[in-house]
Amino acid sequence: MVKTLYMMDEQLISAWTYLETENESPLPSECGNVAIHECFLQGKHSPQTNEDGIFVSPHFIAVVDGATAKSDFRIAGKTTGRLAMELVKDALGKLPSEATVTEAVQVVTRRFHDFYLENGLLHTVEAISARRLTACAVIYSQTRREVWQIGDCPCLIGDVCSVNGKAIDEIMASARTAFNEMALLGGESLDSIARNDPGRAFIMPFLERQACFQNNQEAPEPYAFAVFDGFPVPLGLVKNFPVSIGCEVVLASDGYPHLYPSLKESELHLRSVLTHDPHCMRVYKSTKGLVPGNRSFDDRAYIRFTVMK
């Protein structure tokens, strides 16, 4: 299905100028012991509300995805997802170059915890898990030549792809799809689904409560997942991939339904999904679809590089 869609929609994009004119993260100049080939970042709605981020330093390269806010809770006008992404990037900027994956997770977690203390939020986030600032990330350590995957940001290392998706998201995506299909059978139009998304409203109480599974040592195995949220991360849920010299690596956010070894291929498949299944119900089932006026169903980030030494 992926290849078929790719071939069918090759004529959809005749120019790729938006990859430069709308890119919120131009190609970095200082990148250490790697050669960065391409880098792209775009918010589904605007740069100001984008909850995805790209971090590049001489020691670390990362894609960070702040979790979509499940409520109207804001801090200084920013969503919890946006703040979470910014906190991860801030922590990575202060991380010692030789840090292990364990040390990196601890440093980022401490940064979140300190933020809660500084803003009088610790009691609130302890009591209401849905209020936690939450982010996942995929991080490349240049010193250790390792890719660390915390949560569901996908990566491609050579020809090996790791998606690390959450079981609970698959369940919620199927539930949303089923509810919307029932709504269509009941007389609702696809335009109405796009505007109001009754399936999304149906699963929202579950989305708000699924935070009880994150970083929870007592959560059953199919549902437990790791994220950065200021609370201890179960290291058994963190993936660590060694990377050899000369290997090409792609780090991305889950704004891409399928990860390819080039930005244009990944974008082309995304465009195909948005053309054939903008509601993300059939070709690509998701917990949310394309909202009218937005660029995509989710924020997205992509960076591709080769390890030189």
Side-chain angles (χ1 to χ4, degrees):
M1 176 63 74
V2 170
K3 193 63 175 178
T4 302
L5 286 170
Y6 173 80
M7 296 301 293
M8 284 173 57
D9 286 288
E10 194 159 5
Q11 72 271 20
L12 286 179
I13 301 178
S14 57
W16 297 93
T17 54
Y18 75 93
L19 293 179
E20 294 184 2
T21 59
E22 299 178 21
N23 190 356
E24 299 168 25
S25 181
L27 205 64
S29 55
E30 294 187 27
C31 49
N33 299 325
V34 303
I36 297 180
H37 307 299
E38 47 192 1
C39 177
F40 185 71
L41 175 68
Q42 187 179 67
K44 62 181 180 287
H45 181 68
S46 70
Q48 294 73 28
T49 58
N50 193 350
E51 295 174 329
D52 283 2
I54 294 175
F55 177 86
V56 177
S57 77
H59 308 301
F60 299 98
I61 299 174
V63 163
V64 186
D65 182 355
T68 301
K70 308 301 189 299
S71 70
D72 294 330
F73 182 59
R74 298 287 187 275
I75 303 173
K78 297 181 180 181
T79 65
T80 52
R82 174 77 185 194
L83 281 166
M85 177 270 289
E86 292 177 352
L87 288 178
V88 175
K89 291 178 63 175
D90 181 63
L92 291 177
K94 300 170 183 174
L95 195 63
S97 61
E98 70 281 1
T100 64
V101 60
T102 300
E103 291 167 340
V105 167
Q106 290 173 343
V107 167
V108 176
T109 298
R110 191 179 308 120
R111 180 68 187 92
F112 276 62
H113 190 267
D114 289 346
F115 181 87
Y116 295 149
L117 288 175
E118 293 162 4
N119 291 274
L121 294 169
L122 188 57
H123 177 73
T124 298
V125 297
E126 284 178 333
I128 309 173
S129 55
R131 292 285 181 92
R132 294 179 188 175
L133 279 61
T134 301
C136 62
V138 59
I139 305 165
Y140 174 65
S141 165
Q142 301 205 46
T143 301
R144 296 188 174 275
R145 289 208 302 273
E146 294 174 344
V147 170
W148 307 326
Q149 193 176 33
I150 303 94
D152 58 5
C153 284
C155 61
L156 188 60
I157 303 169
D159 58 358
V160 176
C161 183
S162 178
V163 178
N164 205 30
K166 303 194 293 290
I168 190 65
D169 281 349
E170 294 179 11
I171 295 170
M172 291 298 99
S174 293
R176 170 183 170 266
T177 294
F179 196 93
N180 280 343
E181 293 288 7
M182 287 189 291
L184 290 172
L185 289 173
E188 287 229 35
S189 66
L190 284 173
D191 285 344
S192 176
I193 294 290
R195 290 193 306 271
N196 302 313
D197 203 338
R200 175 77 176 179
F202 173 71
I203 66 171
M204 185 55 70
F206 298 91
L207 296 176
E208 292 172 348
R209 296 188 65 181
Q210 76 177 35
C212 69
F213 292 136
Q214 67 191 45
N215 295 339
N216 188 343
Q217 298 278 13
E218 298 180 0
E221 185 177 350
Y223 305 115
F225 60 91
V227 292
F228 290 123
D229 67 354
F231 294 84
V233 178
L235 293 176
L237 298 177
V238 175
K239 294 188 176 181
N240 188 347
F241 302 95
V243 182
S244 58
I245 294 174
C247 185
E248 190 167 280
V249 177
V250 175
L251 310 180
S253 68
D254 64 356
Y256 287 99
H258 188 83
L259 198 56
Y260 285 94
S262 79
L263 176 60
K264 286 185 178 179
E265 287 178 294
S266 301
E267 284 285 314
L268 196 57
H269 181 67
L270 171 63
R271 292 297 138 197
S272 181
V273 169
L274 294 177
T275 298
H276 292 277
D277 187 25
H279 310 93
C280 298
M281 291 168 50
R282 294 166 180 170
V283 174
Y284 175 70
K285 293 182 181 180
S286 176
T287 58
K288 54 192 171 186
L290 177 63
V291 174
N294 282 2
R295 298 183 178 99
S296 185
F297 69 93
D298 202 359
D299 304 322
R300 65 192 190 276
Y302 183 107
I303 186 166
R304 178 171 67 91
F305 56 90
T306 297
V307 176
M308 305 304 292
K309 62 179 180 178

